[in-house]
Amino acid sequence: LVWLQKEEFMLANFNGGDVLNQRQIDLMKLLCEQNVFRPASFFSRKLSVSTKTVYSDFQDIEKFVKKFQVELIRRSEEHT
């Protein structure tokens, strides 16, 4: 499960670089819309991709958002 902790973060910043692809930008938007933890399968269904792809995108997004002092917080299924 993943939760995005955001502080004064603007999604518009994602469109200015070559770091994230469109699917990753769409995933970031979905993350920002959530106010509860969601399993990776939730995002994979929304984006019509595998959970493996979602986890891979999470890794790329994590690297990117660190520049903005934003942190992705992961929770295992057993903590729900």
Side-chain angles (χ1 to χ4, degrees):
L1 298 170
V2 177
W3 172 254
L4 178 69
Q5 184 174 357
K6 50 194 177 239
E7 293 180 72
E8 299 178 8
F9 182 77
M10 300 187 67
L11 276 175
N13 290 328
F14 285 104
N15 295 324
D18 297 318
V19 178
L20 298 178
N21 63 39
Q22 187 59 52
R23 182 188 63 246
Q24 292 165 336
I25 292 168
D26 293 342
L27 177 55
M28 276 300 311
K29 289 177 183 177
L30 282 173
L31 284 166
C32 288
E33 292 171 359
Q34 306 310 306
N35 56 8
V36 296
F37 284 92
R38 300 280 187 193
S41 59
F42 170 84
F43 299 104
S44 68
R45 284 190 303 274
K46 291 282 190 179
L47 298 170
S48 300
V49 297
S50 70
T51 53
K52 184 177 178 178
T53 297
V54 169
Y55 283 122
S56 175
D57 286 349
F58 284 158
Q59 290 178 339
D60 292 339
I61 290 168
E62 270 184 317
K63 291 175 192 172
F64 185 76
V65 298
K66 281 184 181 183
K67 300 173 192 176
F68 303 98
Q69 299 175 343
V70 174
E71 180 182 3
L72 290 181
I73 300 171
R74 296 174 185 245
R75 244 173 54 174
S76 66
E77 293 284 338
E78 61 203 39
H79 290 108
T80 59

